[in-house]
Amino acid sequence: MRTVDAALCTLEPLCVEHAAEMFRVLSDAVIYEFENSPPPSQEWLAERYAQLERRTSADGRQAWLNWVVRLLAGELAGYVQATVFESGQALVAYELASRYWRQGIGRCAVSAMLRELQLNCGVRQFAAVCK
């Protein structure tokens, strides 16, 4: 997994070191207006990220690819993620803090992820996951 540069942001492979900054991003209550809830603690998020750093399911049949979205000014805005199956299909999703909505950042980040998945992971078909 590699860092991916895009016009409005950089996608950095998610790691435990992102937990503190991402906890602040994911604590935005507006994100959870209709479903789910914020992470219960920074420690919980760090443990989750440690699991995701494996980049694969326990049985090895799925690649779990997660990137944080870092804006050109340096702050984190959210994340993009993909579950890649052996069939060449991927489920994709993204989450941004509400203050970054409607600025083209999500479109830019997701487009960069889709290109990366297509060019370097052999993905041929995508489906978006909506919560």
Side-chain angles (χ1 to χ4, degrees):
M1 209 171 152
R2 63 189 196 108
T3 298
V4 179
D5 292 319
L8 300 176
C9 60
T10 299
L11 307 182
E12 298 176 5
L14 181 135
C15 63
V16 171
E17 290 75 23
H18 291 119
E21 194 173 358
M22 281 302 296
F23 182 73
R24 290 188 294 277
V25 170
L26 297 174
S27 292
D28 179 358
V30 178
I31 296 172
Y32 310 100
E33 182 176 352
F34 299 106
E35 193 172 335
N36 295 330
S37 58
S41 69
Q42 182 178 320
E43 294 75 20
W44 180 92
L45 193 59
E47 289 176 22
R48 176 72 179 136
Y49 285 2
Q51 295 169 349
L52 292 175
E53 277 188 37
R54 291 188 321 223
R55 314 255 189 255
T56 186
S57 61
D59 64 8
R61 298 181 69 194
Q62 301 170 2
W64 292 347
L65 307 178
N66 298 270
W67 292 266
V68 294
V69 177
R70 187 169 302 280
L71 301 179
L72 301 179
E75 69 271 17
L76 292 184
Y79 65 86
V80 293
Q81 64 184 29
T83 300
V84 179
F85 300 93
E86 295 171 333
S87 63
Q89 298 172 316
L91 299 176
V92 299
Y94 77 101
E95 188 94 62
L96 295 179
S98 62
R99 71 186 206 144
Y100 301 113
W101 294 356
R102 296 175 188 81
Q103 298 175 41
I105 298 165
R107 177 179 33 233
C108 180
V110 169
S111 294
M113 175 182 61
L114 296 180
R115 277 190 310 278
E116 177 69 10
L117 293 171
Q118 200 170 28
L119 295 173
N120 295 305
C121 300
V123 176
R124 298 178 312 278
Q125 185 177 28
F126 303 97
V129 178
C130 301
K131 294 182 178 184

